[in-house]
Amino acid sequence: MGARWLVLREGSRLRWGGDLRRHHVLAALAERPDATDVDGWSAGRLREALAANHRRPWSARPRLAAATMLAADALAEAAGRALPFAVDFHDDPVAQNEALGVAMDPAWVERAIDRKRRNVDAFRWLVVPSPELAALAGLDADRTIVAGNGSDTTVITPMPWPGEPAIGFISGAPAGRRIETLIEAARLVRRSVPELRLLLWLAATSAAGEGYLDGLRRSTAGDPWIEFAAAPYQEIGAQLGRATVLCVPNPP
């Protein structure tokens, strides 16, 4: 008998928060004895999983759960041979960039909106990390399931109070985060707290992000109190423990 569930999720490429969510959010479903756990979500990976799922012609098509929105070719494959059941909708790049004031290429916006529409139309349930994201993305509240991001308590543990005052910020590095504003605020604080450090754990997730991050490094090259660093997940507890204050400088 074939599997009742096909679960498309992240396998072993666990670099940052998005990877971790795509790996863990559907983990319990993937571990069911009647589920096939698929590493990836391309049309090719889906075809391979369907081909390996030996289903009798009269038996029901497997339900499909995906840990991220699917491309058009994967959606077509899913609609023809499976039952698209749930997709994890963990970000809306167009709505979020608009909220952050990030300039976007019109052709990219059109493609992103089309992908979102196709996935929302195809899947019965939309899994979201928060009601606020669902509202920002304009999703139907009656079709959303809130599954918040969790922390691995073997990694994220209480740390001793830092020995020196420090502001910490951990995030992807799009221009709309206004990290320059945070740097200027830290400069003001250093007038009265000269030993203050600024710890920036930033990940560039695109070519534009790489360029933006390079510009930040150049503009602060003369400021040894500003530290640019990486925070792999296994080190994140110790890294966060270095900050007296952790902040998220979104424009609003």
Side-chain angles (χ1 to χ4, degrees):
M1 180 181 295
R4 293 181 58 195
W5 288 93
L6 294 179
V7 182
L8 312 182
R9 63 184 186 126
E10 191 73 74
S12 58
R13 191 179 64 166
L14 306 179
R15 301 160 298 172
W16 42 61
D19 298 336
L20 291 163
R21 182 173 177 88
R22 286 188 294 268
H23 178 74
H24 288 292
V25 69
L26 300 177
L29 185 59
E31 291 167 1
R32 286 174 54 120
D34 58 351
T36 297
D37 188 7
V38 182
D39 183 358
W41 47 87
S42 67
R45 296 295 292 143
L46 181 53
R47 277 192 295 269
E48 291 173 5
L50 287 165
N53 183 43
H54 302 295
R55 179 176 65 89
R56 293 186 174 89
W58 58 85
S59 60
R61 290 184 291 172
R63 292 180 176 182
L64 178 71
T68 191
M69 287 190 291
L70 303 183
D73 57 348
L75 278 173
E77 197 74 33
R81 302 176 62 187
L83 298 173
F85 187 77
V87 62
D88 189 50
F89 194 95
H90 49 262
D91 62 8
D92 185 326
V94 173
Q96 290 161 205
N97 282 347
E98 287 177 345
L100 293 170
V102 177
M104 295 176 282
D105 173 65
W108 175 86
V109 170
E110 185 176 349
R111 291 193 301 272
I113 290 176
D114 180 66
R115 183 182 186 186
K116 171 185 174 181
R117 177 187 59 78
R118 288 173 182 266
N119 278 267
V120 169
D121 289 348
F123 284 93
R124 172 65 183 88
W125 295 101
L126 310 172
V127 183
V128 294
S130 69
E132 290 77 15
L133 176 63
L136 179 68
L139 303 180
D140 181 358
D142 291 336
R143 293 175 54 206
T144 58
I145 300 171
V146 177
N149 290 321
S151 294
D152 184 343
T153 53
T154 65
V155 174
I156 311 296
T157 57
M159 300 294 291
W161 194 251
E164 59 182 4
I167 298 171
F169 175 58
I170 184 167
S171 176
R177 290 288 187 195
R178 309 286 170 85
I179 299 169
E180 303 90 340
T181 303
L182 175 59
I183 291 171
E184 292 307 311
R187 293 189 198 280
L188 292 174
V189 174
R190 277 177 60 86
R191 294 178 183 176
S192 55
V193 187
E195 67 273 25
L196 178 76
R197 294 179 58 78
L198 179 60
L199 310 174
L200 299 174
W201 301 289
L202 304 175
T205 57
S206 66
E210 288 281 5
Y212 173 66
L213 191 49
D214 287 343
L216 281 179
R217 290 192 181 103
R218 287 193 299 271
S219 68
T220 58
D223 299 302
W225 55 276
I226 299 177
E227 177 182 333
F228 290 87
Y233 195 73
Q234 292 304 313
E235 302 174 12
I236 198 170
Q239 291 289 345
L240 295 180
R242 299 172 57 203
T244 315
V245 175
L246 191 68
C247 64
V248 182
N250 285 336

